[in-house]
Amino acid sequence: MRVTRLVMGDLRRFQHAELAPAPGLNLITGANGAGKTSVLEALHLMAYGRSFRGRVRDGLVRDGAEAVEVFVEWEEGTGGIPRRAGLRHTGQAWTGRLDGRDVAHLGQLCAALAVVTFEPGSHALVAGGAENRRRYLDWGLFHVEQDFMALWRRYARALKQRNALLKAGGSNAQLDAWDAELAESGEVLTAFRERYLGELMPRAAAIGRRLSTGPELLGLEFQPGWRRQELSLADALLLGRDRDRSSGHTGVGPHRADWSLRLAGLPGREALSRGQTKLAALSLLLAQAADYADRQGHWPVMALDDLPSELDREHQRRTLEFLLEQPGVQLFVTATEVPEALRELPAACRVFHVEQGLIAD
């Protein structure tokens, strides 16, 4: 997957800007606050429907403008199939087009362009709340399992209906119907997640060993969101119904799932240093990207924001070496200046400079 053109309108500092990236390594430089991260935000917005720095309405739309607009052209697969997508987002409502046709669901855009981003908030994958780790699993499954999104939506719809009934004092008969739907979809959803996490584990461990000499990853341990070894999801929902009526929400199920890292010589992720946490998160993201490449036949677009601030020189070098070895990978890196680690690598690089709302190469 290779982006050939990116156009941004009314995105933070940019009234209008565009660039034509190189197929390999692209370095985006500029002073702090110049807007170089916004280039990666534009790609992330098209691929995820949101910025990695928050919601669209939280400052992504340029002051005085009605909406942010992003247009991306890219080539997909080894055959270089041309694709294009556009998104206009006000922060409250959106419209989008994919390959010349209107899209009804934002997920259609997100499924088309795959971007994996490592940025200052990525440590939350390891150190943050369980929602980050569920989102990680679901992104991967969304892109590699054809039936996953429909299944995820089915579960989310049933959960919403059950929670509404709990708050409204719905009858047991009404709850029985939604419990059956929640249990059926939830069991399958959980099996997808558990299998996918297990398949990622060896790759994440291997990449972790290559990037760092820190604690070795020994396992990724899945927690399904209920006592699955003892109860079916249907039984767990029935057993917890009185408690759920009191709280007004469903207390067990895949929406409460999590997973954890088992590390050599450490009791858990809490014992990791800040630097080790970042490297663990990076290893997991690279493992997911590599898994995507194996299954789809091409790498997702890789975006590394403010790399010199996130990793020391040696770990920058190891990360860039690993990525540049991968066939056909397109890489975007932001930094205030050309990183020393990059100067050490014999790789062609297109440099873009961001200043005063303009991008020059």
Side-chain angles (χ1 to χ4, degrees):
M1 187 168 287
R2 177 173 89 85
V3 173
T4 55
R5 184 175 176 230
L6 171 64
V7 182
M8 302 174 291
D10 292 325
L11 191 155
R12 297 200 190 272
R13 289 177 172 267
F14 296 107
Q15 181 177 12
H16 177 86
E18 64 179 274
L19 68 159
L25 175 60
N26 296 274
L27 176 64
I28 303 164
T29 65
N32 289 328
K36 54 189 180 295
T37 293
S38 298
V39 178
L40 304 192
E41 278 189 287
L43 289 171
H44 197 93
L45 178 63
M46 186 66 76
Y48 293 81
R50 56 181 170 81
S51 165
F52 53 79
R53 295 201 287 186
R55 296 168 298 184
V56 172
R57 64 176 178 266
D58 295 335
L60 193 65
V61 181
R62 189 174 65 89
D63 286 346
E66 293 183 358
V68 59
E69 296 182 346
V70 177
F71 177 78
V72 184
E73 292 179 347
W74 71 96
E75 295 175 351
E76 186 172 287
T78 54
I81 301 169
R83 306 290 306 274
R84 66 187 190 278
L87 175 65
R88 185 181 190 273
H89 207 311
T90 67
Q92 301 294 333
W94 64 272
T95 56
R97 289 177 66 81
L98 177 63
D99 297 325
R101 297 184 177 183
D102 293 341
V103 297
H105 302 288
L106 196 55
Q108 292 175 260
L109 292 179
C110 300
L113 179 65
V115 177
V116 172
T117 308
F118 177 68
E119 42 86 20
S122 292
H123 70 280
L125 176 59
V126 174
E131 181 182 0
N132 299 289
R133 289 179 288 281
R134 288 193 297 271
R135 189 182 295 133
Y136 170 84
L137 295 181
D138 292 346
W139 183 91
L141 286 163
F142 175 54
H143 280 283
V144 302
E145 293 287 352
Q146 184 176 0
D147 299 329
F148 180 77
M149 181 48 64
L151 177 68
W152 187 92
R153 285 178 174 156
R154 179 185 170 194
Y155 180 84
R157 182 172 58 250
L159 179 64
K160 182 178 179 180
Q161 293 293 333
R162 187 180 193 268
N163 285 341
L165 281 172
L166 290 169
K167 291 179 177 128
S171 68
N172 282 333
Q174 290 174 306
L175 286 168
D176 285 344
W178 286 109
D179 279 10
E181 176 72 359
L182 205 64
E184 184 177 336
S185 57
E187 291 277 9
V188 181
L189 177 65
T190 296
F192 268 125
R193 284 173 168 174
E194 185 173 33
R195 183 175 68 250
Y196 178 66
L197 187 67
E199 290 168 349
L200 285 177
M201 164 53 209
R203 196 185 301 273
I207 292 174
R209 287 191 295 270
R210 174 160 181 181
L211 296 189
S212 173
T213 57
E216 183 176 0
L217 178 63
L218 300 179
L220 298 173
E221 299 178 346
F222 184 63
Q223 294 126 39
W226 79 97
R227 301 196 311 271
R228 190 168 170 227
Q229 299 302 321
E230 304 170 26
L231 298 166
S232 67
L233 181 52
D235 288 342
L237 288 166
L238 184 60
L239 188 64
R241 183 175 292 181
D242 289 342
R243 180 197 61 229
D244 292 348
R245 282 188 183 277
S246 297
S247 65
H249 66 267
T250 304
V252 296
H255 60 287
R256 302 297 299 271
D258 199 357
W259 51 271
S260 60
L261 289 73
R262 185 160 53 87
L263 301 158
L266 290 179
R269 63 174 184 261
E270 297 81 5
L272 290 171
S273 70
R274 178 82 168 184
Q276 289 170 332
T277 300
K278 289 179 182 179
L279 285 167
L282 177 59
S283 298
L284 289 162
L285 290 168
L286 294 179
Q288 187 169 65
D291 178 82
Y292 174 98
D294 274 358
R295 299 187 194 224
Q296 303 288 44
H298 57 269
W299 272 73
V301 175
M302 302 299 299
L304 308 178
D305 184 37
D306 203 11
L307 188 63
S309 296
E310 294 304 298
L311 301 177
D312 61 37
R313 181 172 169 178
E314 175 61 18
H315 289 109
Q316 291 174 53
R317 185 187 61 77
R318 293 186 186 193
T319 300
L320 292 170
E321 275 185 341
F322 171 80
L323 284 169
L324 293 171
E325 286 175 7
Q326 310 311 316
V329 70
Q330 185 181 42
L331 177 61
F332 293 81
V333 177
T334 67
T336 55
E337 58 187 20
V338 179
E340 288 298 322
L342 190 54
R343 298 179 193 274
E344 299 170 4
L345 298 173
C349 175
R350 178 170 293 177
V351 180
F352 298 89
H353 185 71
V354 179
E355 188 174 0
Q356 297 181 343
L358 300 173
I359 302 176
D361 62 344

